[in-house]
Short mmCIF file of all heavy atoms in Angstrom, two decimals:
data_model
loop_
_atom_site.label_atom_id
_atom_site.label_comp_id
_atom_site.label_asym_id
_atom_site.label_seq_id
_atom_site.Cartn_x
_atom_site.Cartn_y
_atom_site.Cartn_z
N MET A 1 -4.19 -0.88 7.83
CA MET A 1 -3.64 -1.07 6.50
C MET A 1 -2.37 -0.24 6.39
O MET A 1 -2.30 0.87 6.89
CB MET A 1 -4.68 -0.60 5.45
CG MET A 1 -4.21 -0.87 4.06
SD MET A 1 -5.47 -0.65 2.84
CE MET A 1 -6.48 -2.09 3.13
N ARG A 2 -1.39 -0.81 5.70
CA ARG A 2 -0.12 -0.13 5.50
C ARG A 2 0.25 -0.18 4.03
O ARG A 2 -0.17 -1.08 3.31
CB ARG A 2 0.97 -0.86 6.29
CG ARG A 2 0.77 -0.87 7.78
CD ARG A 2 1.92 -1.50 8.53
NE ARG A 2 2.35 -2.80 7.97
CZ ARG A 2 1.90 -3.99 8.38
NH1 ARG A 2 0.98 -4.06 9.31
NH2 ARG A 2 2.36 -5.12 7.88
N VAL A 3 1.02 0.82 3.60
CA VAL A 3 1.57 0.88 2.27
C VAL A 3 3.08 0.97 2.42
O VAL A 3 3.59 1.80 3.14
CB VAL A 3 1.02 2.08 1.45
CG1 VAL A 3 1.66 2.10 0.05
CG2 VAL A 3 -0.49 2.04 1.36
N LYS A 4 3.79 0.08 1.72
CA LYS A 4 5.26 0.08 1.78
C LYS A 4 5.81 0.22 0.39
O LYS A 4 5.15 -0.09 -0.59
CB LYS A 4 5.75 -1.24 2.41
CG LYS A 4 5.37 -1.41 3.85
CD LYS A 4 6.01 -2.65 4.44
CE LYS A 4 5.76 -2.73 5.91
NZ LYS A 4 6.47 -3.90 6.50
N THR A 5 7.03 0.71 0.28
CA THR A 5 7.76 0.80 -0.96
C THR A 5 9.09 0.08 -0.81
O THR A 5 9.64 0.01 0.30
CB THR A 5 7.98 2.27 -1.41
OG1 THR A 5 8.56 2.28 -2.72
CG2 THR A 5 8.85 3.00 -0.46
N PHE A 6 9.56 -0.49 -1.90
CA PHE A 6 10.85 -1.23 -1.88
C PHE A 6 11.94 -0.24 -2.20
O PHE A 6 12.01 0.30 -3.31
CB PHE A 6 10.83 -2.37 -2.88
CG PHE A 6 11.89 -3.36 -2.64
CD1 PHE A 6 11.81 -4.26 -1.57
CD2 PHE A 6 12.98 -3.44 -3.47
CE1 PHE A 6 12.82 -5.17 -1.35
CE2 PHE A 6 13.99 -4.38 -3.27
CZ PHE A 6 13.91 -5.25 -2.20
N ARG A 7 12.79 0.04 -1.22
CA ARG A 7 13.85 1.06 -1.38
C ARG A 7 15.16 0.54 -0.76
O ARG A 7 15.12 0.08 0.39
CB ARG A 7 13.42 2.36 -0.68
CG ARG A 7 14.34 3.50 -0.97
CD ARG A 7 13.93 4.79 -0.27
NE ARG A 7 12.53 5.11 -0.52
CZ ARG A 7 11.76 5.71 0.38
NH1 ARG A 7 12.24 6.06 1.54
NH2 ARG A 7 10.50 6.00 0.11
N ASN A 8 16.23 0.62 -1.51
CA ASN A 8 17.55 0.21 -1.01
C ASN A 8 17.54 -1.22 -0.50
O ASN A 8 18.16 -1.51 0.55
CB ASN A 8 18.07 1.19 0.04
CG ASN A 8 18.22 2.58 -0.47
OD1 ASN A 8 18.58 2.80 -1.63
ND2 ASN A 8 17.93 3.57 0.35
N GLY A 9 16.85 -2.10 -1.19
CA GLY A 9 16.87 -3.52 -0.84
C GLY A 9 15.94 -3.93 0.33
O GLY A 9 16.05 -5.09 0.78
N ALA A 10 15.08 -3.03 0.76
CA ALA A 10 14.19 -3.36 1.89
C ALA A 10 12.86 -2.70 1.73
O ALA A 10 12.73 -1.67 1.06
CB ALA A 10 14.82 -2.95 3.19
N TRP A 11 11.80 -3.29 2.32
CA TRP A 11 10.46 -2.68 2.32
C TRP A 11 10.41 -1.62 3.40
O TRP A 11 10.72 -1.87 4.57
CB TRP A 11 9.37 -3.72 2.57
CG TRP A 11 9.18 -4.63 1.40
CD1 TRP A 11 9.62 -5.91 1.28
CD2 TRP A 11 8.48 -4.32 0.21
NE1 TRP A 11 9.25 -6.41 0.03
CE2 TRP A 11 8.58 -5.45 -0.64
CE3 TRP A 11 7.83 -3.19 -0.29
CZ2 TRP A 11 7.98 -5.50 -1.89
CZ3 TRP A 11 7.24 -3.24 -1.54
CH2 TRP A 11 7.34 -4.37 -2.34
N VAL A 12 10.02 -0.37 3.01
CA VAL A 12 9.95 0.77 3.92
C VAL A 12 8.51 1.29 3.93
O VAL A 12 7.93 1.47 2.87
CB VAL A 12 10.89 1.91 3.45
CG1 VAL A 12 10.83 3.10 4.37
CG2 VAL A 12 12.32 1.37 3.33
N GLN A 13 7.97 1.52 5.14
CA GLN A 13 6.61 2.01 5.22
C GLN A 13 6.49 3.45 4.74
O GLN A 13 7.32 4.31 5.13
CB GLN A 13 6.07 1.91 6.66
CG GLN A 13 4.60 2.25 6.76
CD GLN A 13 4.00 1.71 8.03
OE1 GLN A 13 4.49 0.76 8.63
NE2 GLN A 13 2.92 2.34 8.46
N LEU A 14 5.49 3.74 3.88
CA LEU A 14 5.24 5.11 3.44
C LEU A 14 4.40 5.82 4.46
O LEU A 14 3.44 5.28 4.98
CB LEU A 14 4.49 5.09 2.09
CG LEU A 14 5.30 4.65 0.89
CD1 LEU A 14 4.37 4.56 -0.35
CD2 LEU A 14 6.44 5.57 0.61
N GLN A 15 4.73 7.05 4.73
CA GLN A 15 3.97 7.88 5.64
C GLN A 15 2.88 8.61 4.88
O GLN A 15 3.08 8.94 3.70
CB GLN A 15 4.87 8.86 6.37
CG GLN A 15 5.98 8.23 7.16
CD GLN A 15 5.46 7.32 8.26
OE1 GLN A 15 4.54 7.65 8.98
NE2 GLN A 15 6.08 6.15 8.36
N GLY A 16 1.77 8.83 5.47
CA GLY A 16 0.72 9.68 4.86
C GLY A 16 -0.26 8.96 3.96
O GLY A 16 -1.04 9.60 3.27
N ALA A 17 -0.24 7.63 3.93
CA ALA A 17 -1.22 6.91 3.13
C ALA A 17 -2.61 7.08 3.77
O ALA A 17 -2.75 6.99 4.98
CB ALA A 17 -0.88 5.43 3.03
N VAL A 18 -3.62 7.38 2.95
CA VAL A 18 -4.97 7.61 3.42
C VAL A 18 -5.82 6.45 2.92
O VAL A 18 -5.86 6.14 1.75
CB VAL A 18 -5.50 8.94 2.90
CG1 VAL A 18 -6.96 9.14 3.34
CG2 VAL A 18 -4.65 10.09 3.37
N VAL A 19 -6.55 5.82 3.84
CA VAL A 19 -7.41 4.68 3.50
C VAL A 19 -8.87 5.02 3.85
O VAL A 19 -9.13 5.50 4.93
CB VAL A 19 -6.99 3.41 4.29
CG1 VAL A 19 -7.89 2.26 3.91
CG2 VAL A 19 -5.55 3.07 4.05
N LYS A 20 -9.74 4.80 2.88
CA LYS A 20 -11.18 5.04 3.06
C LYS A 20 -11.91 3.75 2.75
O LYS A 20 -11.50 3.00 1.84
CB LYS A 20 -11.66 6.16 2.17
CG LYS A 20 -11.07 7.49 2.48
CD LYS A 20 -11.59 8.53 1.55
CE LYS A 20 -10.94 9.90 1.83
NZ LYS A 20 -11.43 10.92 0.89
N THR A 21 -13.00 3.48 3.48
CA THR A 21 -13.83 2.32 3.23
C THR A 21 -15.24 2.80 2.98
O THR A 21 -15.75 3.65 3.70
CB THR A 21 -13.84 1.40 4.47
OG1 THR A 21 -12.51 1.11 4.85
CG2 THR A 21 -14.56 0.10 4.17
N ASN A 22 -15.90 2.21 1.97
CA ASN A 22 -17.28 2.62 1.69
C ASN A 22 -18.27 1.61 2.29
O ASN A 22 -17.86 0.63 2.91
CB ASN A 22 -17.53 2.83 0.19
CG ASN A 22 -17.47 1.56 -0.60
OD1 ASN A 22 -17.48 0.46 -0.09
ND2 ASN A 22 -17.33 1.70 -1.91
N SER A 23 -19.53 1.79 2.07
CA SER A 23 -20.56 0.95 2.67
C SER A 23 -20.57 -0.46 2.09
O SER A 23 -21.17 -1.38 2.68
CB SER A 23 -21.96 1.59 2.51
OG SER A 23 -22.23 1.78 1.13
N ASP A 24 -19.89 -0.66 0.94
CA ASP A 24 -19.80 -1.99 0.34
C ASP A 24 -18.49 -2.72 0.77
O ASP A 24 -18.13 -3.73 0.20
CB ASP A 24 -19.78 -1.89 -1.19
CG ASP A 24 -21.11 -1.38 -1.76
OD1 ASP A 24 -22.16 -1.68 -1.15
OD2 ASP A 24 -21.07 -0.68 -2.76
N ASN A 25 -17.86 -2.17 1.82
CA ASN A 25 -16.62 -2.73 2.34
C ASN A 25 -15.48 -2.75 1.29
O ASN A 25 -14.64 -3.63 1.31
CB ASN A 25 -16.81 -4.15 2.92
CG ASN A 25 -17.67 -4.11 4.14
OD1 ASN A 25 -17.54 -3.19 4.93
ND2 ASN A 25 -18.53 -5.07 4.30
N ARG A 26 -15.50 -1.74 0.42
CA ARG A 26 -14.42 -1.61 -0.53
C ARG A 26 -13.46 -0.52 -0.04
O ARG A 26 -13.89 0.46 0.55
CB ARG A 26 -14.93 -1.23 -1.91
CG ARG A 26 -15.71 -2.34 -2.57
CD ARG A 26 -16.09 -1.95 -3.98
NE ARG A 26 -16.67 -3.04 -4.66
CZ ARG A 26 -15.98 -3.87 -5.46
NH1 ARG A 26 -14.70 -3.69 -5.63
NH2 ARG A 26 -16.61 -4.85 -6.06
N TYR A 27 -12.17 -0.72 -0.28
CA TYR A 27 -11.14 0.18 0.17
C TYR A 27 -10.68 1.08 -0.95
O TYR A 27 -10.60 0.69 -2.09
CB TYR A 27 -9.94 -0.59 0.72
CG TYR A 27 -10.26 -1.36 1.97
CD1 TYR A 27 -10.62 -2.69 1.86
CD2 TYR A 27 -10.15 -0.78 3.20
CE1 TYR A 27 -10.92 -3.44 3.02
CE2 TYR A 27 -10.43 -1.50 4.35
CZ TYR A 27 -10.83 -2.82 4.23
OH TYR A 27 -11.10 -3.55 5.35
N ASN A 28 -10.29 2.32 -0.60
CA ASN A 28 -9.68 3.25 -1.48
C ASN A 28 -8.43 3.75 -0.78
O ASN A 28 -8.53 4.36 0.30
CB ASN A 28 -10.64 4.40 -1.79
CG ASN A 28 -10.09 5.39 -2.74
OD1 ASN A 28 -8.88 5.46 -2.99
ND2 ASN A 28 -10.96 6.20 -3.34
N VAL A 29 -7.26 3.51 -1.35
CA VAL A 29 -6.00 3.90 -0.72
C VAL A 29 -5.41 5.05 -1.57
O VAL A 29 -5.26 4.93 -2.78
CB VAL A 29 -4.99 2.73 -0.68
CG1 VAL A 29 -3.70 3.17 -0.06
CG2 VAL A 29 -5.61 1.56 0.05
N GLY A 30 -5.11 6.14 -0.92
CA GLY A 30 -4.51 7.30 -1.61
C GLY A 30 -3.14 7.60 -1.05
O GLY A 30 -2.94 7.62 0.18
N ILE A 31 -2.16 7.74 -1.91
CA ILE A 31 -0.81 8.14 -1.52
C ILE A 31 -0.26 9.13 -2.52
O ILE A 31 -0.72 9.21 -3.66
CB ILE A 31 0.15 6.91 -1.46
CG1 ILE A 31 0.16 6.18 -2.79
CG2 ILE A 31 -0.25 5.97 -0.35
CD1 ILE A 31 1.19 5.08 -2.88
N ARG A 32 0.71 9.90 -2.07
CA ARG A 32 1.40 10.83 -2.95
C ARG A 32 2.87 10.43 -2.98
O ARG A 32 3.55 10.41 -1.95
CB ARG A 32 1.29 12.28 -2.47
CG ARG A 32 -0.09 12.81 -2.61
CD ARG A 32 -0.14 14.23 -2.34
NE ARG A 32 -1.54 14.69 -2.45
CZ ARG A 32 -1.90 15.89 -2.67
NH1 ARG A 32 -1.01 16.84 -2.81
NH2 ARG A 32 -3.19 16.20 -2.76
N LEU A 33 3.35 10.11 -4.19
CA LEU A 33 4.74 9.71 -4.35
C LEU A 33 5.52 10.87 -4.91
O LEU A 33 5.10 11.50 -5.87
CB LEU A 33 4.81 8.48 -5.28
CG LEU A 33 4.05 7.25 -4.79
CD1 LEU A 33 4.05 6.20 -5.87
CD2 LEU A 33 4.68 6.73 -3.51
N GLN A 34 6.66 11.15 -4.34
CA GLN A 34 7.47 12.29 -4.77
C GLN A 34 8.63 11.87 -5.63
O GLN A 34 9.06 12.61 -6.55
CB GLN A 34 7.99 13.06 -3.54
CG GLN A 34 6.86 13.62 -2.74
CD GLN A 34 7.35 14.34 -1.50
OE1 GLN A 34 8.50 14.20 -1.11
NE2 GLN A 34 6.48 15.12 -0.88
N MET A 35 9.20 10.69 -5.41
CA MET A 35 10.35 10.26 -6.21
C MET A 35 9.89 9.84 -7.60
O MET A 35 8.92 9.08 -7.74
CB MET A 35 11.05 9.06 -5.52
CG MET A 35 11.76 9.42 -4.24
SD MET A 35 12.45 8.02 -3.36
CE MET A 35 13.35 7.18 -4.61
N LYS A 36 10.54 10.32 -8.64
CA LYS A 36 10.19 10.01 -10.01
C LYS A 36 10.68 8.61 -10.35
O LYS A 36 11.58 8.09 -9.73
CB LYS A 36 10.84 11.01 -10.97
CG LYS A 36 10.53 12.45 -10.67
CD LYS A 36 9.16 12.81 -11.22
CE LYS A 36 8.93 14.30 -11.04
NZ LYS A 36 7.59 14.69 -11.07
N GLY A 37 10.04 8.03 -11.40
CA GLY A 37 10.47 6.74 -11.90
C GLY A 37 9.56 5.60 -11.43
O GLY A 37 8.48 5.80 -10.82
N GLU A 38 9.99 4.39 -11.70
CA GLU A 38 9.22 3.19 -11.35
C GLU A 38 9.36 2.89 -9.88
O GLU A 38 10.46 2.91 -9.32
CB GLU A 38 9.71 2.00 -12.21
CG GLU A 38 8.79 0.82 -12.14
CD GLU A 38 9.25 -0.25 -13.12
OE1 GLU A 38 8.84 -0.18 -14.30
OE2 GLU A 38 9.97 -1.15 -12.70
N ARG A 39 8.22 2.59 -9.24
CA ARG A 39 8.22 2.25 -7.81
C ARG A 39 7.48 0.94 -7.60
O ARG A 39 6.43 0.71 -8.21
CB ARG A 39 7.47 3.35 -7.03
CG ARG A 39 8.06 4.75 -7.18
CD ARG A 39 9.30 4.96 -6.36
NE ARG A 39 9.08 4.89 -4.93
CZ ARG A 39 8.66 5.87 -4.19
NH1 ARG A 39 8.41 7.05 -4.71
NH2 ARG A 39 8.49 5.69 -2.90
N LEU A 40 8.00 0.13 -6.71
CA LEU A 40 7.36 -1.15 -6.32
C LEU A 40 6.69 -0.86 -4.98
O LEU A 40 7.32 -0.45 -4.03
CB LEU A 40 8.40 -2.25 -6.22
CG LEU A 40 7.90 -3.64 -5.98
CD1 LEU A 40 7.01 -4.07 -7.18
CD2 LEU A 40 9.07 -4.60 -5.86
N LEU A 41 5.35 -1.04 -4.94
CA LEU A 41 4.57 -0.78 -3.71
C LEU A 41 3.93 -2.06 -3.21
O LEU A 41 3.60 -2.95 -4.03
CB LEU A 41 3.48 0.26 -3.99
CG LEU A 41 3.91 1.64 -4.53
CD1 LEU A 41 2.70 2.48 -4.80
CD2 LEU A 41 4.83 2.30 -3.57
N GLN A 42 3.70 -2.10 -1.92
CA GLN A 42 3.02 -3.23 -1.32
C GLN A 42 1.95 -2.69 -0.39
O GLN A 42 2.25 -1.87 0.50
CB GLN A 42 4.02 -4.09 -0.55
CG GLN A 42 3.45 -5.45 -0.14
CD GLN A 42 4.55 -6.34 0.41
OE1 GLN A 42 5.07 -6.02 1.45
NE2 GLN A 42 4.90 -7.37 -0.30
N VAL A 43 0.69 -3.10 -0.60
CA VAL A 43 -0.43 -2.68 0.25
C VAL A 43 -0.76 -3.90 1.13
O VAL A 43 -1.02 -4.97 0.63
CB VAL A 43 -1.62 -2.26 -0.59
CG1 VAL A 43 -2.77 -1.82 0.31
CG2 VAL A 43 -1.23 -1.13 -1.54
N ILE A 44 -0.79 -3.67 2.45
CA ILE A 44 -0.95 -4.74 3.39
C ILE A 44 -2.15 -4.43 4.31
O ILE A 44 -2.13 -3.38 4.97
CB ILE A 44 0.31 -4.96 4.25
CG1 ILE A 44 1.51 -5.17 3.35
CG2 ILE A 44 0.12 -6.10 5.24
CD1 ILE A 44 2.82 -4.86 4.01
N GLY A 45 -3.13 -5.29 4.33
CA GLY A 45 -4.29 -5.15 5.21
C GLY A 45 -4.16 -6.08 6.36
O GLY A 45 -3.92 -7.28 6.18
N ASP A 46 -4.29 -5.62 7.60
CA ASP A 46 -4.25 -6.46 8.78
C ASP A 46 -5.61 -6.48 9.43
O ASP A 46 -5.93 -5.61 10.26
CB ASP A 46 -3.23 -5.91 9.79
CG ASP A 46 -1.80 -6.04 9.27
OD1 ASP A 46 -1.49 -7.09 8.65
OD2 ASP A 46 -1.03 -5.13 9.50
N PRO A 47 -6.47 -7.44 9.06
CA PRO A 47 -7.82 -7.45 9.64
C PRO A 47 -7.79 -7.77 11.12
O PRO A 47 -6.88 -8.45 11.60
CB PRO A 47 -8.51 -8.58 8.84
CG PRO A 47 -7.39 -9.44 8.39
CD PRO A 47 -6.21 -8.54 8.19
N VAL A 48 -8.80 -7.31 11.81
CA VAL A 48 -8.90 -7.56 13.26
C VAL A 48 -9.37 -9.00 13.53
O VAL A 48 -8.94 -9.66 14.43
CB VAL A 48 -9.88 -6.55 13.91
CG1 VAL A 48 -10.09 -6.84 15.38
CG2 VAL A 48 -9.36 -5.14 13.73
N ASP A 49 -10.30 -9.48 12.69
CA ASP A 49 -10.87 -10.83 12.84
C ASP A 49 -9.76 -11.88 12.55
O ASP A 49 -9.21 -11.91 11.44
CB ASP A 49 -12.00 -11.00 11.88
CG ASP A 49 -12.72 -12.34 11.99
OD1 ASP A 49 -12.17 -13.24 12.69
OD2 ASP A 49 -13.80 -12.49 11.42
N PRO A 50 -9.43 -12.74 13.51
CA PRO A 50 -8.39 -13.72 13.29
C PRO A 50 -8.75 -14.79 12.24
O PRO A 50 -7.87 -15.50 11.75
CB PRO A 50 -8.18 -14.39 14.66
CG PRO A 50 -9.47 -14.13 15.40
CD PRO A 50 -9.99 -12.83 14.86
N GLY A 51 -10.02 -14.86 11.87
CA GLY A 51 -10.46 -15.82 10.85
C GLY A 51 -10.17 -15.36 9.45
O GLY A 51 -10.30 -16.08 8.46
N ILE A 52 -9.76 -14.09 9.28
CA ILE A 52 -9.45 -13.53 7.95
C ILE A 52 -7.94 -13.41 7.82
O ILE A 52 -7.28 -12.83 8.68
CB ILE A 52 -10.11 -12.13 7.82
CG1 ILE A 52 -11.62 -12.22 8.00
CG2 ILE A 52 -9.78 -11.51 6.45
CD1 ILE A 52 -12.29 -10.87 8.01
N ARG A 53 -7.42 -13.96 6.75
CA ARG A 53 -5.98 -13.88 6.54
C ARG A 53 -5.54 -12.46 6.23
O ARG A 53 -6.31 -11.66 5.69
CB ARG A 53 -5.56 -14.76 5.34
CG ARG A 53 -5.74 -16.22 5.61
CD ARG A 53 -5.13 -17.06 4.52
NE ARG A 53 -4.74 -16.28 3.33
CZ ARG A 53 -4.82 -16.73 2.12
NH1 ARG A 53 -5.31 -17.91 1.87
NH2 ARG A 53 -4.41 -15.99 1.11
N THR A 54 -4.33 -12.14 6.53
CA THR A 54 -3.78 -10.85 6.19
C THR A 54 -3.70 -10.74 4.65
O THR A 54 -3.18 -11.63 4.00
CB THR A 54 -2.37 -10.67 6.78
OG1 THR A 54 -2.46 -10.71 8.19
CG2 THR A 54 -1.72 -9.35 6.36
N ALA A 55 -4.28 -9.65 4.14
CA ALA A 55 -4.28 -9.45 2.70
C ALA A 55 -3.04 -8.66 2.27
O ALA A 55 -2.64 -7.75 2.98
CB ALA A 55 -5.55 -8.71 2.28
N ARG A 56 -2.46 -9.03 1.12
CA ARG A 56 -1.28 -8.35 0.67
C ARG A 56 -1.26 -8.32 -0.87
O ARG A 56 -1.56 -9.30 -1.50
CB ARG A 56 -0.04 -9.13 1.14
CG ARG A 56 1.27 -8.56 0.77
CD ARG A 56 2.40 -9.46 1.31
NE ARG A 56 2.20 -9.73 2.73
CZ ARG A 56 3.02 -9.34 3.69
NH1 ARG A 56 4.07 -8.64 3.40
NH2 ARG A 56 2.75 -9.63 4.94
N LYS A 57 -0.95 -7.17 -1.43
CA LYS A 57 -0.89 -7.04 -2.89
C LYS A 57 0.34 -6.16 -3.23
O LYS A 57 0.51 -5.11 -2.64
CB LYS A 57 -2.17 -6.36 -3.39
CG LYS A 57 -2.21 -6.15 -4.88
CD LYS A 57 -2.34 -7.48 -5.60
CE LYS A 57 -2.48 -7.24 -7.12
NZ LYS A 57 -2.52 -8.50 -7.85
N THR A 58 1.16 -6.63 -4.16
CA THR A 58 2.32 -5.91 -4.62
C THR A 58 2.04 -5.38 -6.03
O THR A 58 1.59 -6.14 -6.90
CB THR A 58 3.56 -6.79 -4.62
OG1 THR A 58 3.75 -7.29 -3.30
CG2 THR A 58 4.79 -6.02 -5.06
N ILE A 59 2.31 -4.08 -6.26
CA ILE A 59 2.06 -3.46 -7.57
C ILE A 59 3.24 -2.61 -7.94
O ILE A 59 4.01 -2.17 -7.11
CB ILE A 59 0.77 -2.58 -7.53
CG1 ILE A 59 0.89 -1.50 -6.46
CG2 ILE A 59 -0.47 -3.41 -7.33
CD1 ILE A 59 -0.24 -0.50 -6.48
N THR A 60 3.36 -2.35 -9.25
CA THR A 60 4.43 -1.47 -9.75
C THR A 60 3.75 -0.24 -10.36
O THR A 60 2.78 -0.40 -11.13
CB THR A 60 5.27 -2.18 -10.83
OG1 THR A 60 5.84 -3.35 -10.25
CG2 THR A 60 6.36 -1.25 -11.34
N VAL A 61 4.21 0.94 -10.02
CA VAL A 61 3.68 2.20 -10.59
C VAL A 61 4.84 3.00 -11.12
O VAL A 61 6.00 2.84 -10.70
CB VAL A 61 2.89 3.04 -9.55
CG1 VAL A 61 1.69 2.27 -9.05
CG2 VAL A 61 3.78 3.41 -8.39
N THR A 62 4.56 3.89 -12.07
CA THR A 62 5.58 4.81 -12.58
C THR A 62 5.13 6.25 -12.27
O THR A 62 4.03 6.63 -12.62
CB THR A 62 5.77 4.61 -14.10
OG1 THR A 62 6.15 3.28 -14.35
CG2 THR A 62 6.83 5.56 -14.62
N VAL A 63 6.02 7.00 -11.62
CA VAL A 63 5.74 8.36 -11.23
C VAL A 63 6.42 9.26 -12.29
O VAL A 63 7.61 9.13 -12.54
CB VAL A 63 6.27 8.70 -9.83
CG1 VAL A 63 5.99 10.14 -9.47
CG2 VAL A 63 5.65 7.71 -8.80
N HIS A 64 5.65 10.15 -12.88
CA HIS A 64 6.18 11.08 -13.90
C HIS A 64 6.39 12.45 -13.34
O HIS A 64 5.79 12.89 -12.43
CB HIS A 64 5.22 11.20 -15.06
CG HIS A 64 4.99 9.88 -15.74
ND1 HIS A 64 5.89 9.35 -16.67
CD2 HIS A 64 4.02 8.94 -15.58
CE1 HIS A 64 5.42 8.19 -17.08
NE2 HIS A 64 4.31 7.89 -16.43
#
């Protein structure tokens, strides 16, 4: 799983994202953002099973 941010017109991978999975196969992604203001993030899951499509979700967050 990767977390990217949109910066200077391109998607850039964030370093230090922590991903945890529980027994119900739910994911918890933790990141620390240092730049203040609104950020566009993309979380991308690359499953090993070729029968499962790559999951992708884009979200907007505001860092205070």
Side-chain angles (χ1 to χ4, degrees):
M1 183 169 288
R2 297 184 311 268
V3 179
K4 294 184 175 185
T5 186
F6 197 72
R7 188 181 309 147
N8 299 325
W11 287 103
V12 179
Q13 187 161 336
L14 289 175
Q15 300 300 317
V18 177
V19 180
K20 296 180 182 178
T21 308
N22 67 15
S23 60
D24 294 326
N25 293 322
R26 291 185 173 266
Y27 294 93
N28 182 342
V29 180
I31 57 173
R32 289 189 183 204
L33 300 172
Q34 296 177 348
M35 292 174 51
K36 304 281 186 200
E38 192 172 274
R39 302 283 296 276
L40 188 61
L41 302 177
Q42 193 171 68
V43 180
I44 306 158
D46 292 322
V48 176
D49 184 348
I52 301 173
R53 292 189 349 215
T54 298
R56 181 181 309 246
K57 180 70 176 175
T58 303
I59 59 173
T60 301
V61 298
T62 301
V63 180
H64 298 278

